[in-house]
C-alpha cells in the first residue's frame, strides 16, 4: 500500500491540509450555466430542534444536513406557532430546489437552481470542510482543533501519512500498535539481577511504587523471591519451584522498581529514562513470556501477574498493550468468579484457600475494578466490569504484616491501614462509572435530566469525601509519612477529577444566561474549583520526590483540568458582564499556563504526554482565537466598545505559531468559519468531552507518534 500523495487527495498545503469541498458521487460539479433558470424558491420554513436551539442554519430535511453530518438525532418536536407545521422532507428526497437532488455525475440540474440562501450554504460548506491526510473533516465541528493537532503532528514527522500507512505501526502486533517499542537490544544480559539488587528493588517496590493498588501480600512475595533466587543458585529454571505466574509477578515487580529508580534519578534527562527502559524492559519481557506459556487452570496469581503487567505498561506509556493485557486479566477474573462473594476458593489442586489468598483475591478484584473505570474514561471505551454483576465484598482493613494464613493477627482493624485507600479509591471509581453512564449517556436525554443526575452524583461525591478517614481527607499532606502522603494525594486527585467529570458539560451553553440559573453557576464554580485544586496538587507532586512519578494517570487528570480552563477561557470571553462569583479568572489561567509546561516537560518516556500537550496547545490557540474574534466583534459592533486588551499580542502569538505558515492558506479560506463571531463551543455536545478525553489515543495520532 503506497502513501497518499497530494495529487491523490486534491490541492493541499505543505501540511497536508486542503480546503477542497466534499463531493459525493451523486453531487453535480456545477449548477448549470449562467443561462439556466434562476427562479427563486421558498426558504426553509422550519428548522429542526438541535439547529433551532443552537441558532444555526438548517436544511429543513429529516434528518437535516447538520444532524446527519454530526450523527445527531434530528427531531421536529418543538411547538410550531405559525399555522400547520410543515412535514420535513427526507434528506435524500427529490424536492424542488433541494441541494440533495439526484443528478448524473457531471451534469447540472435541469430547470431548477438552488435558492441563493442554499447556494451560499453550499459554498460555505465548501470552505468549512477540509482534507487532512486524505480524509474529510467538518470545520464547524467543535473538535476541529483535534484535526489541526493531527496535521501538526504529521508535519513534525516531516512527511504526509495516511491512516495505516506508517510502516513501523503496521509491523507492530495489533495489541501494541502505536506504543513505543520494547528495548531488548542487549543480548546476553541476564534479566534477573544479582541477589542483593533484587531484594533492594523488591523493597523499593513495596516502599515507594505502590499507592492504592495493593493487590499483593508483601511477606508472601518476599518468600517467592527467595524461591526464585534459590532456583537460580542451583542452576534450575527460575520458575521451577514457584511456577510461571508467581515468577512472572517477581520479574514485573523488579521491572517496575527498576524503571522508577531511573525516573527518580532522571527528572530532566530523557537519556536516563531511556536507560531505565533498557534495563526494565528485559525483565518485563521475561515476565510476559512466563504468563504466555502458563499452563493449567487459572489461579489468583494468574490475575495478579497480568494486572501488575498492566501497571508497568501504563507507567511506561504502552497504553495499547495495557488495554489488551487488562482485557485478558478481566477474563480470568470472570472465570474464577472473583466478582462474586462466593468465588471459587479452592485452588487448582482442590485445596481450600487460606486467609491471605482470600484477602488477596478481594484486593485484586477491587484493584482491577478501579483500573477498569479509569481506563474507560481515558480511552473513551466501554467498561469491562459492570456493577449489576458484582457483589464482591471489600477486603478487610488489615495490613500485610498483621495477616496470617488463618486470619488477622490483630483483633480490630485500623482506619490508618493501607488497604483503606484501596477501598476508598474503589468507591469513588464506582461513582465515576455512574457519572459516565448518567451524565454522558448517548441519546436525546434532556439537559435538565443530566443536570439532576450530576447534582445527585456531586452530592454522593461530597458524602464520600466527608466519610474519608482523617489521614486521607483532613490531615495536611506535608505532615504525613511518605506512604500515606502518596495515598492521600491519589485520593484527593481522584476526587478533583470526579468533580470535573461530573460538572464540565455545564460549561457549555449560553453563559450570558447564568445570572438566571444559580444551580448552573454552582456547577461551574464546582468545576473550576476542582480544576484549580487538581493543578495545585500537581504542582505539589512536581516538587515532591516521594510523589513524582507515583501515579500513571496524573497526566490525564492534568489534561482534563487544563481543557476545562481553556474551554472556560473561551466562554469567559463571551460573557457580556463578568460573573463576580466565579473563581479568579486571571490567577486560574496563570496557574494553568504554569502547569501546561509541566505536562510538556514531564515523563517524556511516555508518548501520551506529547499528544496531550499537542492537543492542549491547539485548544489553547482556539481560546486565543476567540479572544481575537470577540475583540473584533465588539470593535465592529457599533457600540463604541474597543477591542479587548491583548488582541495585538494574541495575533502576534498566532503569527509565531509553528503551524502558522503551513495553515495560512487554510485560515484564509475558512476566515468566515473561524472569525464569524460564532464560538466553537456552540456545536459541542456533552459526549464531545469524552471524545476529547480519548483524543490522545486516536489511532491516527498513535501511528504518527511512535518514537524512532
Amino acid at each position: 500500500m503506497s502513501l497518499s500523495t497530494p495529487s491523490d487527495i486534491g490541492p493541499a498545503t505543505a501540511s497536508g491540509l486542503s480546503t477542497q469541498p466534499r463531493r459525493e458521487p451523486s453531487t453535480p460539479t456545477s449548477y448549470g450555466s449562467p443561462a439556466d433558470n434562476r427562479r427563486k424558491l421558498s426558504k426553509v420554513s422550519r428548522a429542526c430542534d438541535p439547529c433551532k436551539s443552537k441558532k444555526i442554519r438548517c436544511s429543513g430535511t429529516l434528518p437535516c444536513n447538520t444532524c446527519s453530518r454530526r450523527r445527531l438525532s434530528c427531531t421536529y418536536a418543538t411547538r410550531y406557532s405559525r399555522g400547520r407545521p410543515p412535514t420535513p422532507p427526507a434528506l435524500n428526497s427529490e424536492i424542488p430546489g433541494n441541494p440533495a437532488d439526484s443528478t448524473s455525475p457531471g451534469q447540472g440540474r435541469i430547470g431548477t437552481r438552488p435558492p441563493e440562501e442554499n447556494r451560499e450554504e453550499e459554498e460555505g460548506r465548501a470552505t468549512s470542510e477540509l482534507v487532512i491526510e486524505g480524509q474529510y473533516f467538518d470545520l464547524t465541528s467543535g473538535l476541529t482543533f483535534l484535526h489541526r493537532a493531527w496535521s501538526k503532528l504529521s508535519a513534525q514527522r516531516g512527511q504526509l501519512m495516511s491512516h495505516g500507512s506508517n510502516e513501523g505501526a503496521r509491523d507492530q502486533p495489533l495489541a501494541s500498535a502505536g506504543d513505543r517499542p520494547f528495548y531488548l537490544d542487549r543480548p546476553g544480559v541476564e534479566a534477573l539481577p544479582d541477589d542483593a539488587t533484587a531484594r533492594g528493588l523488591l523493597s523499593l517496590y513495596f516502599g515507594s511504587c505502590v499507592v492504592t493498588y495493593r493487590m499483593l501480600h508483601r511477606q508472601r512475595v518476599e518468600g517467592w523471591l527467595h524461591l526464585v533466587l534459590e532456583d537460580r543458585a542451583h542452576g534450575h529454571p527460575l520458575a521451577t519451584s514457584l511456577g510461571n505466574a508467581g515468577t512472572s509477578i517477581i520479574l514485573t515487580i523488579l521491572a517496575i522498581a527498576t524503571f522508577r529508580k531511573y525516573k527518580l534519578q532522571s527528572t530532566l534527562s530523557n537519556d536516563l529514562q531511556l536507560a531505565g527502559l533498557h534495563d526494565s524492559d528485559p525483565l518485563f519481557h521475561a515476565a510476559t513470556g512466563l504468563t504466555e506459556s502458563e499452563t493449567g487452570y487459572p489461579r489468583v496469581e494468574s490475575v495478579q501477574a497480568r494486572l501488575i503487567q498492566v501497571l508497568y505498561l501504563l507507567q511506561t506509556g504502552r497504553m495499547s498493550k495495557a488495554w489488551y493485557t487488562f482485557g485478558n486479566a478481566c477474563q480470568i477474573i470472570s472465570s474464577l468468579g472473583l466478582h462474586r462473594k462466593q468465588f471459587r476458593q479452592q485452588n487448582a489442586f482442590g485445596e481450600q484457600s487460606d486467609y491471605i489468598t482470600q484477602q488477596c483475591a478481594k484486593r485484586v478484584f477491587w484493584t482491577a475494578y478501579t483500573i477498569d473505570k479509569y481506563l474507560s474514561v481515558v480511552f473513551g471505551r466501554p467498561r469491562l466490569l459492570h456493577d449489576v454483576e458484582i457483589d464482591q465484598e471489600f477486603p478487610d482493613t488489615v495490613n500485610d504484616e498483621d495477616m496470617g494464613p488463618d486470619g488477622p493477627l490483630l483483633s480490630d482493624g485500623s482506619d490508618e491501614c493501607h488497604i483503606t485507600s484501596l477501598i476508598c479509591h474503589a468507591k469513588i471509581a464506582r461513582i465515576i462509572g455512574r457519572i459516565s453512564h448518567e451524565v454522558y449517556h448517548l441519546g436525546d436525554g434532556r439537559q435538565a435530566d443530566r443536570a439532576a443526575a450530576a447534582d445527585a452524583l456531586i452530592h454522593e461525591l461530597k458524602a464520600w469525601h466527608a466519610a474519608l478517614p482523617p489521614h486521607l481527607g483532613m490531615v495536611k499532606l506535608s505532615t504525613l509519612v511518605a506512604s500515606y502522603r502518596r495515598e492521600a494525594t491519589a485520593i484527593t486527585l481522584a476526587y478533583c477529577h470526579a468533580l470535573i467529570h461530573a460538572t464540565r458539560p455545564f460549561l457549555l451553553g449560553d453563559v450570558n444566561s447564568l445570572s438566571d440559573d444559580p444551580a448552573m453557576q454552582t456547577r461551574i464554580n464546582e468545576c473550576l474549583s476542582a480544576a484549580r485544586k487538581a493543578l495545585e496538587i500537581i504542582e505539589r507532586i512536581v516538587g515532591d520526590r516521594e510523589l513524582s512519578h507515583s501515579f500513571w494517570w496524573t497526566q490525564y487528570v492534568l489534561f482534563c483540568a487544563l481543557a476545562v480552563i481553556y474551554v472556560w477561557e473561551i466562554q469567559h470571553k463571551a460573557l457580556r458582564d463578568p460573573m463576580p462569583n466565579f473563581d479568579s479568572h486571571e490567577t486560574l489561567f496563570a496557574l494553568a499556563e504554569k502547569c501546561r509546561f509541566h505536562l510538556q516537560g514531564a515523563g517524556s518516556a511516555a508518548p501520551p504526554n506529547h499528544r496531550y500537550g499537542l492537543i492542549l496547545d491547539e485548544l489553547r490557540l482556539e481560546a486565543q482565537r476567540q479572544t481575537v474574534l470577540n475583540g473584533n466583534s465588539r470593535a465592529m459592533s457599533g457600540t463604541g466598545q474597543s477591542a479587548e486588551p491583548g488582541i495585538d499580542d494574541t495575533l502576534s502569538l498566532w503569527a509565531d505559531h509553528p503551524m502558522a505558515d503551513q495553515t495560512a492558506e487554510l485560515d484564509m479560506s475558512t476566515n468566515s468559519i473561524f472569525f464569524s463571531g460564532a464560538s466553537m463551543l456552540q456545536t459541542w455536545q456533552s459526549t464531545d468531552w469524552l471524545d476529547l478525553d480519548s483524543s490522545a489515543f486516536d489511532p491516527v495520532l498513535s501511528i504518527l507518534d511512535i518514537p524512532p
Side-chain angles (χ1 to χ4, degrees):
M1 177 179 176
S2 60
L3 292 173
S4 297
T5 63
S7 61
D8 296 325
I9 61 176
T13 66
S15 65
L17 305 179
S18 171
T19 57
Q20 178 184 5
R22 184 195 307 229
R23 299 191 187 278
E24 301 294 341
S26 62
T27 303
T29 58
S30 69
Y31 293 116
S33 66
D36 285 342
N37 187 352
R38 298 172 182 264
R39 64 185 178 184
K40 194 91 169 181
L41 299 180
S42 61
K43 297 182 179 180
V44 172
S45 60
R46 189 182 188 189
C48 72
D49 298 341
C51 291
K52 184 176 181 179
S53 66
K54 296 185 179 299
K55 299 180 181 180
I56 58 179
R57 190 184 302 278
C58 181
S59 65
T61 56
L62 184 62
C64 73
N65 293 333
T66 300
C67 292
S68 177
R69 218 165 38 238
R70 298 219 64 214
R71 298 181 180 179
L72 300 177
S73 176
C74 189
T75 59
Y76 288 81
T78 304
R79 182 181 178 184
Y80 188 77
S81 59
R82 291 182 291 173
R84 183 177 180 180
T87 301
L91 177 61
N92 294 321
S93 63
E94 297 186 7
I95 60 174
N98 189 338
D101 283 345
S102 177
T103 59
S104 301
Q107 292 181 336
R109 286 180 173 83
I110 300 175
T112 63
R113 185 172 182 81
E116 292 304 316
E117 183 174 327
N118 288 345
R119 181 177 179 82
E120 291 173 2
E121 179 182 353
E122 291 202 359
E123 290 174 350
R125 189 178 304 136
T127 60
S128 68
E129 292 175 343
L130 73 160
V131 179
I132 301 180
E133 315 304 347
Q135 299 187 31
Y136 286 97
F137 295 98
D138 179 12
L139 281 178
T140 61
S141 165
L143 297 179
T144 299
F145 63 91
L146 295 182
H147 311 320
R148 295 203 306 271
W150 177 18
S151 62
K152 178 180 176 182
L153 186 54
S154 174
Q156 288 178 351
R157 292 295 176 189
Q159 58 179 331
L160 297 176
M161 300 180 184
S162 61
H163 182 76
S165 66
N166 183 280
E167 294 295 334
R170 196 165 56 185
D171 292 340
Q172 286 183 295
L174 181 146
S176 297
D179 290 346
R180 76 164 53 246
F182 289 99
Y183 297 95
L184 306 171
D185 53 352
R186 296 182 180 177
V189 176
E190 184 180 7
L192 189 66
D194 62 80
D195 292 12
T197 301
R199 292 191 177 95
L201 290 172
L202 187 72
S203 179
L204 175 64
Y205 174 81
F206 283 104
S208 179
C209 301
V210 182
V211 184
T212 64
Y213 300 146
R214 293 184 176 272
M215 56 183 169
L216 298 168
H217 183 262
R218 177 169 184 168
Q219 286 69 33
R220 180 165 285 187
V221 172
E222 288 174 345
W224 290 353
L225 176 61
H226 177 75
L227 291 176
V228 171
L229 296 178
E230 284 289 306
D231 281 340
R232 181 176 65 174
H234 290 90
H236 300 153
L238 295 181
T240 300
S241 301
L242 185 56
N244 284 26
T247 306
S248 175
I249 292 171
I250 292 296
L251 292 173
T252 309
I253 285 175
L254 300 182
I256 291 174
T258 298
F259 183 66
R260 177 167 174 79
K261 181 180 68 174
Y262 276 95
K263 292 278 283 185
L264 292 174
Q265 298 171 354
S266 58
T267 304
L268 300 176
S269 172
N270 292 338
D271 292 338
L272 281 177
Q273 290 185 32
L274 289 177
L277 288 173
H278 280 283
D279 283 353
S280 62
D281 278 354
L283 287 162
F284 178 79
H285 182 69
T288 56
L290 289 171
T291 52
E292 289 171 0
S293 60
E294 186 179 4
T295 59
Y297 292 105
R299 307 172 66 163
V300 172
E301 291 86 353
S302 304
V303 185
Q304 292 171 323
R306 288 157 179 82
L307 272 188
I308 197 170
Q309 289 172 14
V310 170
L311 295 178
Y312 176 81
L313 292 166
L314 292 173
Q315 291 171 16
T316 58
R318 276 77 175 242
M319 308 298 287
S320 183
K321 182 66 173 176
W323 170 259
Y324 287 102
T325 304
F326 181 73
N328 184 218
C330 286
Q331 290 177 322
I332 300 176
I333 285 173
S334 298
S335 69
L336 289 173
L338 298 186
H339 58 295
R340 305 303 301 271
K341 289 181 182 178
Q342 301 300 324
F343 67 91
R344 301 181 184 94
Q345 297 186 12
Q346 290 184 341
N347 62 25
F349 305 100
E351 300 169 344
Q352 190 70 17
S353 300
D354 61 18
Y355 177 76
I356 295 177
T357 302
Q358 293 172 18
Q359 291 302 308
C360 285
K362 295 178 181 180
R363 292 183 184 184
V364 76
F365 171 76
W366 288 109
T367 294
Y369 180 91
T370 305
I371 294 174
D372 181 44
K373 295 301 179 285
Y374 280 102
L375 288 182
S376 174
V377 295
V378 169
F379 282 106
R381 297 170 186 172
R383 297 177 295 278
L384 301 181
L385 301 171
H386 303 283
D387 290 341
V388 295
E389 299 166 346
I390 296 168
D391 67 353
Q392 179 59 277
E393 298 171 334
F394 290 117
D396 296 343
T397 53
V398 182
N399 285 319
D400 290 354
E401 63 272 19
D402 299 324
M403 296 172 63
D406 299 323
L409 303 179
L410 299 176
S411 57
D412 296 319
S414 171
D415 284 340
E416 293 186 3
C417 171
H418 292 301
I419 304 305
T420 303
S421 64
L422 184 156
I423 297 171
C424 292
H425 208 169
K427 288 181 178 179
I428 196 173
R430 178 185 289 162
I431 301 176
I432 290 172
R434 290 181 54 204
I435 293 171
S436 297
H437 176 69
E438 298 179 27
V439 179
Y440 296 89
H441 62 81
L442 299 176
D444 302 324
R446 297 186 307 154
Q447 186 73 352
D449 295 335
R450 296 181 192 270
D455 290 343
L457 290 163
I458 292 170
H459 179 75
E460 287 191 33
L461 285 171
K462 291 183 178 297
W464 168 90
H465 188 263
L468 289 174
H471 74 283
L472 294 179
M474 296 177 59
V475 177
K476 189 176 180 180
L477 290 175
S478 59
T479 65
L480 297 170
V481 297
S483 59
Y484 287 123
R485 188 160 72 249
R486 285 192 296 271
E487 293 174 10
T489 301
I491 293 299
T492 306
L493 202 59
Y495 179 55
C496 293
H497 165 260
L499 285 173
I500 292 172
H501 195 48
T503 56
R504 61 184 179 175
F506 305 100
L507 294 178
L508 309 175
D510 183 7
V511 292
N512 284 305
S513 64
L514 290 176
S515 57
D516 301 326
D517 191 347
M520 187 70 75
Q521 291 187 39
T522 300
R523 295 185 201 106
I524 294 178
N525 266 326
E526 290 279 8
C527 186
L528 297 178
S529 297
R532 173 186 283 277
K533 181 67 173 178
L535 296 182
E536 290 172 347
I537 292 173
I538 291 169
E539 277 279 280
R540 188 181 302 117
I541 290 174
V542 171
D544 189 331
R545 178 182 173 86
E546 290 295 336
L547 295 178
S548 59
H549 316 299
S550 293
F551 321 113
W552 67 267
W553 40 274
T554 301
Q555 307 306 323
Y556 164 72
V557 177
L558 175 55
F559 174 76
C560 290
L562 290 175
V564 158
I565 292 170
Y566 292 142
V567 166
W568 179 246
E569 171 74 2
I570 296 172
Q571 293 289 64
H572 176 81
K573 297 301 180 184
L575 283 172
R576 287 190 294 264
D577 299 305
M579 300 297 294
N581 294 331
F582 286 127
D583 210 343
S584 175
H585 173 73
E586 292 77 12
T587 58
L588 183 60
F589 195 78
L591 179 61
E593 289 295 276
K594 187 175 182 180
C595 288
R596 185 173 62 89
F597 290 107
H598 294 323
L599 180 65
Q600 292 175 334
S604 56
N609 294 337
H610 173 61
R611 304 175 204 169
Y612 279 143
L614 186 67
I615 294 164
L616 284 172
D617 282 346
E618 292 302 326
L619 180 56
R620 175 175 174 269
L621 183 61
E622 194 68 48
Q624 293 167 336
R625 282 175 170 171
Q626 293 298 323
T627 300
V628 177
L629 185 153
N630 283 280
N632 289 345
S633 176
R634 292 175 183 174
M636 297 184 294
S637 64
T639 61
Q641 291 180 326
S642 60
E644 291 188 13
I647 294 297
D648 292 338
D649 294 338
T650 303
L651 288 171
S652 176
L653 178 61
W654 166 237
D656 295 334
H657 192 269
M659 289 291 290
D661 293 337
Q662 298 175 5
T663 59
E665 180 180 340
L666 172 66
D667 285 341
M668 289 290 290
S669 63
T670 60
N671 186 66
S672 61
I673 301 298
F674 284 130
F675 296 99
S676 63
S679 169
M680 73 167 196
L681 301 179
Q682 286 185 358
T683 57
W684 265 35
Q685 307 293 319
S686 295
T687 52
D688 283 337
W689 285 105
L690 304 182
D691 293 336
L692 180 62
D693 283 347
S694 61
S695 57
F697 306 102
D698 184 283
V700 177
L701 285 177
S702 296
I703 65 172
L704 296 178
D705 200 29
I706 299 174

